[in-house]
Amino acid sequence: MSELASIPCSSKRARGTSDGVDRLSSLPDELLHCVMSFLPMPEAVRTSLLSRRWRNLWSSTPYIRIDDQDFMDDGKLKKFGDRLLLLRDGSTSLDEAWISVHHVADRTMCYEWIRHAIVHKARLLHVSGFVLLDGTAMFPSQHLKTVRLQYNLLRYGFFRPLNCDCPVLEHLELEHCGLWDLKEISSRSLKALRIIGCHIFDDLVICASNLTHVSIIDPSCDPGAIVTRDLSSLVTASVSLTSRFHYYKRNTITDHRLLDGLSHATTLELHAPLPEVQTSSSFHHIHTSLDEYICFPS
């Protein structure tokens, strides 16, 4: 504990004074964990130096946050992250695990951190940074409900555990990620899917019968790369095709096929760089099945 708390970082140590009764320390663990959640993780660990009451409190927090911006070099980041997981109270389940590695040379160090989060029943996993994630990065989970990925390169096999071995996964968000040979997103439990500013290098099929909300915003891909089907529970869909589509020779709504499975939605919001007169017969078929239809030409 003292070893972990002594690991230096770029953050300044918070100092406080007290001229009366220490009412903060008398609060229950749940409230103190809430207070600690507003601190960077290194500062949360350093609360162990305050008093005996705080000595082990950090180790049972229902979250972990490992951020490379809290450290001056990769060595200190890795040492802190490894020791944090080693000394953490393993009997405490995780609500959230946040891992950010934007400015490090060896980003593979986060693989063990991801595994630890999943093994310790994390319900939310957030990974941000230029990390290559494939089928070996994810593991089966009976507890994972939300996965948020930013600036990752996702390779073959990454979605397989999410599709087959995460039966309670409900929310998947991919933001500015590269998707390479991933085949399909076909989770039966998934209810909300957001794909924002992603580069899709091969065909991607979205097939999720319990999906109720889907957003596909500004994808960069070949025409027809995104296919939607079997979205029978869909309620709302938002599709935004911006000027990035002007880089491709074929540039019509039907070429992209991402509207194919949206006919069950009651609300469709579409932003497209195309005049409405260029929409196809399949697009008008979707129009007739919607209670509300919104089209915003760019």
Side-chain angles (χ1 to χ4, degrees):
M1 212 155 358
S2 59
E3 178 185 351
L4 181 59
S6 66
I7 295 177
C9 70
S10 59
S11 301
K12 293 183 178 179
R13 179 178 174 180
R15 291 182 173 87
T17 59
S18 175
D19 55 359
V21 179
D22 183 5
R23 294 185 177 87
L24 182 61
S25 295
S26 65
L27 295 174
D29 287 2
E30 292 78 8
L31 289 180
L32 293 180
H33 286 155
C34 182
V35 171
M36 294 168 69
S37 70
F38 292 96
L39 299 174
M41 201 73 207
E43 298 301 326
V45 171
R46 284 197 176 95
T47 61
S48 63
L49 304 176
L50 294 176
S51 68
R52 181 175 297 178
R53 170 74 175 92
W54 291 80
R55 183 172 299 170
N56 297 308
L57 193 61
W58 71 269
S59 66
S60 59
T61 56
Y63 65 89
I64 57 172
R65 293 174 186 154
I66 303 174
D67 190 341
D68 62 357
Q69 294 190 28
D70 290 330
F71 295 88
M72 300 178 65
D73 60 61
D74 294 4
K76 293 183 176 64
L77 170 67
K78 182 175 181 358
K79 184 177 181 181
F80 177 84
D82 291 346
R83 297 294 291 173
L84 174 73
L85 304 186
L86 178 64
L87 297 175
R88 189 180 172 278
D89 182 357
S91 65
T92 304
S93 296
L94 280 171
D95 288 335
E96 302 178 0
W98 294 71
I99 300 170
S100 178
V101 286
H102 285 265
H103 307 288
V104 299
D106 181 14
R107 298 178 178 92
T108 60
M109 68 176 70
C110 71
Y111 280 18
E112 285 300 316
W113 302 341
I114 293 173
R115 179 181 179 84
H116 177 96
I118 294 175
V119 168
H120 287 81
K121 305 177 182 180
R123 292 187 292 179
L124 181 152
L125 174 64
H126 179 110
V127 181
S128 180
F130 305 105
V131 182
L132 172 62
L133 301 176
D134 57 18
T136 65
M138 294 298 296
F139 306 90
S141 171
Q142 301 294 316
H143 305 275
L144 198 58
K145 288 189 174 183
T146 301
V147 174
R148 295 175 181 160
L149 305 175
Q150 295 179 316
Y151 302 100
N152 305 150
L153 178 59
L154 311 180
R155 295 295 301 270
Y156 176 77
F158 176 80
F159 284 142
R160 180 173 176 77
L162 298 183
N163 292 341
C164 305
D165 301 317
C166 296
V168 300
L169 181 66
E170 295 183 353
H171 184 105
L172 176 61
E173 181 171 322
L174 311 175
E175 183 175 351
H176 301 296
C177 292
L179 282 59
W180 197 304
D181 195 23
L182 293 172
K183 306 304 182 185
E184 67 178 18
I185 300 174
S186 60
S187 169
R188 294 182 178 180
S189 61
L190 198 62
K191 295 182 179 179
L193 173 65
R194 299 185 69 198
I195 300 176
I196 305 169
C198 290
H199 292 263
I200 302 172
F201 298 99
D202 300 282
D203 288 356
L204 177 67
V205 177
I206 300 171
C207 177
S209 58
N210 290 310
L211 194 68
T212 57
H213 305 283
V214 62
S215 296
I216 302 173
I217 309 298
D218 197 18
S220 178
C221 58
D222 289 329
I226 305 175
V227 180
T228 57
R229 68 184 186 206
D230 190 24
L231 305 182
S232 56
S233 301
L234 199 61
V235 177
T236 62
S238 178
V239 177
S240 177
L241 311 179
T242 63
S243 58
R244 294 165 74 170
F245 280 89
H246 290 306
Y247 291 107
Y248 304 106
K249 293 180 180 179
R250 296 164 59 216
N251 201 4
T252 66
I253 290 289
T254 49
D255 287 336
H256 298 291
R257 295 189 295 164
L258 55 83
L259 298 182
D260 291 354
L262 305 185
S263 60
H264 292 280
T266 56
T267 301
L268 170 64
E269 182 176 348
L270 174 64
H271 297 255
L274 307 170
E276 290 185 60
V277 295
Q278 288 185 261
T279 57
S280 67
S281 58
S282 64
F283 179 79
H284 289 297
H285 168 70
I286 293 174
H287 181 185
T288 59
S289 67
L290 298 175
D291 294 335
E292 178 181 357
Y293 167 69
I294 309 172
C295 182
F296 299 95
S298 298

